[in-house]
Amino acid sequence: MQNIIPMPEGTGQRPRLRAVLFDMDGVLFDSMPAHAQSWAKVATHFGLTMTPSEAYLHEGRTGEATINILAQRYWGRNATAEEQRNIYALKCEEFNKYPEAPKMPGAESLLRQVKAMGLTIVVVTGSGQQSLLSRLQTHYPGFFRPDLIVSSADVKRGKPAPDPYLMGLEKAGCRPEEAIVVENAPLGVQAARAAGIYTLAANTGPLDPQVLTDAGAQQVFPSMQALSDAWSGLFEATTA
Ligand code: MG
């Protein structure tokens, strides 16, 4: 097995792959349908409009940033801190009414391969949804260290800014060229690429895969299972 990043990078030696940074929603948990429906419902409650399909395009933003986009559109200003708290609290409450989001098929088999390669596993999420963050440990026991999780509480600027992924690199103690990101959302892909990291996308939602390519994903897979199935081949193909 080669610990080599599958990337034709410059003229020098290939850097050694040391870490894989995973997004959470739509990558580790099949949670996006519930997120999208919750955002749509809560927006309506506050006299705002966000369709579930629009919610997929905002995936990866912090709750605060998503709320401000709506506030700007309908109120012509940012939401106050209190409005943000109230709206996000209600969104979380709404989300928690949905049945537990299942583990994304293929995610655990990919995690197992990554772990077997001796790579550091980091979670980088825009979410502050405690119900999901705590489920990382119970549903994927042995894969995630609490000190290697970046959530919305850790950064001021969320995705598509590079900050969450830069913090993920810092926590992993590695450089951008020593890591790979696994993302499912266009803004998440943008954030990862802005941080200088090779990015694989799994298109687990309703979006056209082209939006992930346009966002900068170097490779796009139709599902996490497809990415997991292709994983070992990614390394063989580039070291042959
Ligand atoms: Mg996601």
Side-chain angles (χ1 to χ4, degrees):
M1 187 177 302
Q2 304 288 328
N3 274 4
I4 302 293
I5 290 184
M7 119 173 103
E9 186 64 38
T11 53
Q13 258 196 312
R14 286 179 189 282
R16 188 181 172 85
L17 177 59
R18 296 177 56 211
V20 181
L21 282 57
F22 287 88
D23 172 48
M24 181 173 75
D25 290 291
V27 167
L28 300 173
F29 293 115
D30 191 6
S31 44
M32 276 312 296
H35 279 299
Q37 295 294 341
S38 313
W39 276 119
K41 187 156 182 196
V42 169
T44 306
H45 179 87
F46 285 90
L48 309 164
T49 301
M50 180 182 286
T51 61
S53 46
E54 185 189 348
Y56 279 93
L57 294 173
H58 293 300
E59 181 185 353
R61 290 192 204 283
T62 61
E64 194 175 287
T66 304
I67 290 161
N68 273 340
I69 284 174
L70 291 177
Q72 284 290 348
R73 189 194 302 162
Y74 294 102
W75 301 335
R77 60 170 177 82
N78 277 346
T80 64
E82 194 189 350
E83 286 164 342
Q84 285 175 351
R85 261 198 314 277
N86 290 342
I87 296 173
Y88 194 64
L90 201 64
K91 187 262 161 183
C92 290
E93 198 182 307
E94 200 54 48
F95 178 83
N96 289 336
K97 289 181 192 165
Y98 284 81
E100 262 194 357
K103 289 161 75 168
M104 186 63 79
E108 187 160 354
S109 69
L110 177 57
L111 286 167
R112 249 185 265 120
Q113 295 179 73
V114 169
K115 195 175 175 183
M117 288 169 76
L119 305 175
T120 302
I121 295 173
V122 183
V123 174
V124 178
T125 176
S127 178
Q129 189 91 39
Q130 277 309 322
S131 54
L132 279 180
L133 288 165
S134 55
R135 281 183 56 208
L136 281 175
Q137 308 297 346
T138 50
H139 286 62
Y140 291 102
F143 288 111
F144 302 115
R145 275 173 35 195
D147 60 320
L148 292 176
I149 295 174
V150 179
S151 76
S152 64
D154 293 301
V155 286
K156 273 211 172 69
R157 289 194 312 168
K159 303 170 186 178
D163 308 28
Y165 279 110
L166 292 173
M167 173 150 297
L169 290 172
E170 197 182 314
K171 289 193 179 204
C174 69
R175 294 178 289 133
E177 59 272 25
E178 296 171 325
I180 285 178
V181 162
V182 178
E183 259 289 351
N184 73 305
L187 296 180
V189 169
Q190 281 179 36
R193 292 303 312 281
I197 311 172
Y198 190 90
T199 304
L200 304 175
N203 189 24
T204 61
L207 299 176
D208 185 321
Q210 187 61 39
V211 302
L212 295 165
T213 305
D214 293 346
Q218 274 106 337
Q219 298 190 50
V220 179
F221 298 84
S223 64
M224 281 296 285
Q225 188 64 59
L227 170 52
S228 175
D229 293 346
W231 180 256
S232 60
L234 295 178
F235 299 90
E236 286 157 17
T238 54
T239 54

